[in-house]
Amino acid sequence: MAMNLTDLRSTRSKFPFEHTRVRVPRPLLLCVVALLGAARQVEAYTDPGTGALIWQMLVAGFVGALFYVRRFTSWFRTRKKDNES
Amino acid sequence: MSPKASETARDGFVSPEAASFRDPAGVLAPVDGRMIRIVKPSGLADLNAFLRSAAGRRFMQAGQVVRTEVLDGVEVRKLLKNSEIGALYDGAAGQVLVEHERILFPSYPYEWPAEMLHAAGALTLRLARELLAEGLGLKDATPYNVLFRGPEPVFVDVLSFERRDPDDPAWLPYAQFVRTFLLPLMAQKYFGIALDQVLSTRRDGLEPEEVYRWTGPLQKLRPPFLTLVSMPTWLAARHDQNDVSLYRKRSAGNTEKARFILESLLKRLERTLGRLAPRPGARSAWSGYMQGNNNYSAEDFRAKHAFVEQVLAEFAPKRVLDVGSNTGHFSALAARRGASVVAIDHDPVVLGQLWREASGDGLDILPLVVSLTRPTPGIGWRNRECASFLDRARGSFDAVFMLAVIHHMLVTERVPLEEILNLAAELTRDLLVIEFIGPEDSMFRRIARGREELHKDLTVELFEDACRQRFEIVRRRQLERAPRRLYLLRKRAEARR
């Protein structure tokens, strides 16, 4: 099939998300693409909340780390202020 | 249905054997129109902690949590003397009786326009966030915890509150909140699936896996689909289903950190809920009706308005049912005259608009997506967990409005005239304001679509004779341009009993 370079570029420029106006970082996108297709048919005894609970815990881990970062930066700022005064 | 069940259904909540049977912490039972709850010892400490908390008192004062009072010994003895609640109560075992304010007309999520589900979700999240500061939380997060007083959501399940482990960073009702609030709102907003289609058949809402199948490849990666639908679906697929360690109690090892995590989660949920809010100004087949997609001249509409105003001024009905309310012009008239109005229509878009106006103007109007020709059935365990619309509505109204609606029932739904009037007589305790629309009417002809032959006998005389079976005609008014007539009917004395 004949396809010149301009065509290729134009297809590329449309991907990913250009027309959706959402910017998603490339590495995250790759992880997500790696997960794609992994959806499984829900079976008997599957808890419908499992996935949401795992996701909540993953985000909680990240936010928990953020808590220490915040604590450190506020400690750092107060120390700087003390030194200045 | 047994007399007991229908009586309790009318009283609002549901009977002890049906309503609150899932909750081990207590039972709800209506007694002579009062809402009484038996709280078992296992639920008492949590309830007391809520009632004593500053946030709890604040929410109850604002009417956003159902007003609740613990009954003293004298009151309890009085209640036990003359009611069936005695069979359920055992004071010796440490049970306590509390009384709730009564919500006039209970409604269920599958009868709400999306705006109301959104408002119920916002209240649930605000409660969770403000209670967190006082070491309290919610055991569950479902729209069934919420009823509406007019257009305002009221959190009614006071046994949902619990004292939290302050180090626990997890919000266990998260998945339930997503399933019962966020995903139905998402289905409505992005896929045009009405809430009743989703919620009348699924008590526990939509599962992420189900919505995942509807989403396109790019949509799967886009927020809010990525976090609410795709991530949970992918993660669940990779999780070993025999591994139940996921559900063990968690500790952040630090109270401040746990609270930081939870607050951030609840704020994120509030933002997501905001994104899923239905847009104002949405359109539907019926949204342009009041702006001119009807056959009333300005004078005719003024005459109709004046007719209804006069009825309201003369009889001052306290409770009104407006059938086929559209955006609620006549519901608002009644509410402005002090009536408590239930406005029903089958179009969720016009009711969403009505809800916004009622809520903004503080009008006592409860808009419900109900078609009188296919009213909400009794749903759930034994079909009695959530009462049918008719069981809640029968005999509950001083006045019923059927304005510009009977031709739809007669022609589109093919319900006989006598049947429509029989049902109206069951719904109203006294008045019926009904508009007669003859077969020569342009709108009648439009929906008859060549089947005029079926309705050729429908005349004013026939209509009036049918009305007189159960009602007295108090007055009538012929509109000038349209072949339509307004009637004020009063239920006959023998039918009123």
Side-chain angles (χ1 to χ4, degrees):
Chain A
M1 208 162 68
M3 191 188 230
N4 62 33
L5 226 120
T6 340
D7 285 336
L8 261 179
R9 217 177 292 133
S10 69
T11 356
R12 258 189 90 159
S13 70
K14 272 184 197 152
F15 186 82
F17 299 110
E18 206 162 84
H19 58 285
T20 66
R21 290 193 210 142
V22 177
R23 269 191 289 158
V24 177
R26 281 284 155 97
L28 175 67
L29 191 68
L30 288 176
C31 293
V32 165
V33 170
L35 276 163
L36 262 173
R40 190 164 59 184
Q41 180 63 37
V42 179
E43 287 163 7
Y45 290 96
T46 307
D47 172 20
T50 313
L53 186 59
I54 303 172
W55 176 242
Q56 189 194 166
M57 289 304 123
L58 285 176
V59 178
F62 175 76
V63 176
L66 197 71
F67 169 76
Y68 290 112
V69 174
R70 284 256 178 109
R71 194 186 241 189
F72 175 74
T73 49
S74 68
W75 168 81
F76 188 72
R77 257 188 244 132
T78 34
R79 218 186 79 153
K80 210 171 142 194
K81 237 184 234 166
D82 288 348
N83 283 351
E84 277 167 11
S85 61
Chain B
M1 193 181 238
S2 71
K4 191 174 127 197
S6 66
E7 179 195 315
T8 51
R10 251 209 312 281
D11 277 337
F13 295 68
V14 211
S15 57
E17 69 273 14
S20 41
F21 68 96
R22 282 179 218 281
D23 195 342
V27 184
L28 185 71
V31 181
D32 305 328
R34 295 166 69 183
M35 298 316 304
I36 305 294
R37 196 189 287 267
I38 301 174
V39 183
K40 296 179 186 164
S42 59
L44 196 57
D46 282 334
L47 177 61
N48 278 333
F50 171 76
L51 293 176
R52 286 185 197 131
S53 70
R57 283 203 295 268
R58 212 167 48 238
F59 274 103
M60 277 197 285
Q61 256 161 20
Q64 289 164 332
V65 169
V66 72
R67 292 181 191 104
T68 301
E69 199 185 323
V70 180
L71 297 177
D72 62 21
V74 182
E75 198 56 42
V76 170
R77 275 193 294 280
K78 239 195 274 172
L79 264 173
L80 295 180
K81 232 184 256 169
N82 56 4
S83 75
E84 61 202 40
I85 206 160
L88 301 162
Y89 177 75
D90 182 4
Q95 295 178 346
V96 165
L97 291 189
V98 298
E99 179 164 6
H100 297 302
E101 123 197 43
R102 203 176 143 203
I103 302 294
L104 268 186
F105 200 88
S107 58
Y108 304 109
Y110 41 83
E111 297 173 326
W112 300 342
E115 283 80 355
M116 288 169 70
L117 184 66
H118 181 267
L123 174 63
T124 304
L125 288 180
R126 199 145 44 80
L127 261 169
R129 202 150 56 82
E130 293 192 27
L131 288 173
L132 188 62
E134 295 189 58
L136 297 167
L138 291 175
K139 285 181 206 166
D140 57 356
T142 129
Y144 289 91
N145 287 338
V146 178
L147 293 179
F148 279 80
R149 187 198 299 108
E152 300 310 323
V154 184
F155 195 94
V156 291
D157 189 7
V158 293
L159 296 183
S160 279
F161 303 117
E162 66 176 348
R163 293 157 300 159
R164 286 186 49 83
D165 169 4
D167 285 351
D168 183 358
W171 194 50
L172 279 184
Y174 170 79
Q176 192 184 33
F177 186 84
V178 172
R179 284 197 302 269
T180 56
F181 287 100
L182 299 181
L183 295 184
L185 283 172
M186 179 185 267
Q188 195 271 338
K189 183 161 182 159
Y190 292 93
F191 303 103
I193 301 170
L195 294 184
D196 61 338
Q197 286 171 277
V198 167
L199 295 174
S200 57
T201 50
R202 297 167 176 85
R203 186 174 70 87
D204 208 26
L206 279 169
E207 290 171 19
E209 283 83 353
E210 210 170 347
V211 184
Y212 185 86
R213 288 198 294 274
W214 308 338
T215 50
L218 279 183
Q219 211 170 22
K220 285 183 172 57
L221 305 177
R222 200 190 303 166
F225 297 90
L226 182 65
T227 52
L228 295 182
V229 176
S230 311
M231 277 299 184
T233 302
W234 295 329
L235 291 167
R238 286 165 181 267
H239 182 252
D240 172 12
Q241 291 179 40
N242 290 318
D243 174 17
V244 290
S245 65
L246 188 65
Y247 303 98
R248 71 179 191 277
K249 267 229 161 292
R250 275 156 217 281
S251 169
N254 177 335
T255 306
E256 222 183 310
K257 180 180 167 190
R259 208 171 130 187
F260 180 82
I261 292 171
L262 276 174
E263 271 173 358
S264 132
L265 170 78
L266 293 169
K267 273 185 211 155
R268 249 180 300 127
L269 283 173
E270 277 175 346
R271 277 199 300 275
T272 311
L273 184 68
R275 284 183 83 139
L276 296 172
R279 288 186 315 273
R283 281 158 174 268
S284 71
W286 286 97
S287 58
Y289 178 78
M290 290 303 283
Q291 282 80 46
N293 189 17
N294 62 55
N295 61 356
Y296 294 96
S297 65
E299 304 88 78
D300 276 355
F301 195 78
R302 266 199 297 277
K304 182 169 166 179
H305 178 107
F307 187 90
V308 177
E309 270 286 39
Q310 197 191 343
V311 173
L312 293 167
E314 202 174 320
F315 296 92
K318 283 201 182 70
R319 295 185 64 187
V320 170
L321 173 68
D322 186 359
V323 179
S325 64
N326 197 264
T327 45
H329 180 86
F330 297 100
S331 299
L333 279 190
R336 290 215 164 85
R337 290 256 178 196
S340 183
V341 184
V342 176
I344 61 171
D345 201 293
H346 72 271
D347 184 349
V349 172
V350 296
L351 288 183
Q353 206 176 316
L354 172 55
W355 179 82
R356 278 173 208 279
E357 279 171 29
S359 179
D361 297 349
L363 294 174
D364 187 355
I365 301 173
L366 173 68
L368 297 180
V369 185
V370 171
S371 156
L372 205 53
T373 51
R374 294 181 75 79
T376 324
I379 287 180
W381 184 246
R382 291 178 184 265
N383 286 134
R384 278 158 70 176
E385 221 176 312
C386 301
S388 76
F389 176 78
L390 293 182
D391 278 336
R392 283 169 284 151
R394 219 170 265 129
S396 293
F397 301 98
D398 304 310
V400 171
F401 294 172
M402 286 187 169
L403 298 168
V405 76
I406 62 159
H407 55 314
H408 293 291
M409 297 168 142
L410 288 167
V411 178
T412 315
E413 302 286 341
R414 299 281 300 127
V415 182
L417 180 60
E418 294 71 26
E419 259 305 298
I420 298 173
L421 290 160
N422 283 347
L423 179 60
E426 285 177 38
L427 296 172
T428 184
R429 291 191 285 249
D430 189 9
L431 306 170
L432 173 64
V433 184
I434 190 165
E435 186 172 357
F436 172 74
I437 293 150
E440 64 278 19
D441 182 274
S442 61
M443 292 300 186
F444 193 110
R445 281 211 300 272
R446 224 196 259 183
I447 56 175
R449 294 191 186 106
R451 292 168 298 176
E452 286 83 0
E453 184 64 17
L454 286 171
H455 307 282
K456 66 176 192 309
D457 299 331
L458 181 64
T459 58
V460 170
E461 293 70 35
L462 184 110
F463 175 75
E464 292 192 358
D465 282 347
C467 289
R468 285 196 196 93
Q469 303 280 315
R470 294 185 174 266
F471 296 92
E472 283 157 21
I473 299 174
V474 179
R475 71 173 76 101
R476 56 175 81 70
R477 168 150 196 179
Q478 173 72 48
L479 296 184
E480 307 236 325
R481 301 269 179 88
R484 297 182 170 208
R485 267 183 191 215
L486 293 160
Y487 285 85
L488 169 62
L489 309 179
R490 252 191 130 162
K491 218 158 137 177
R492 286 186 178 282
E494 65 269 20
R496 246 180 272 169
R497 258 176 274 126

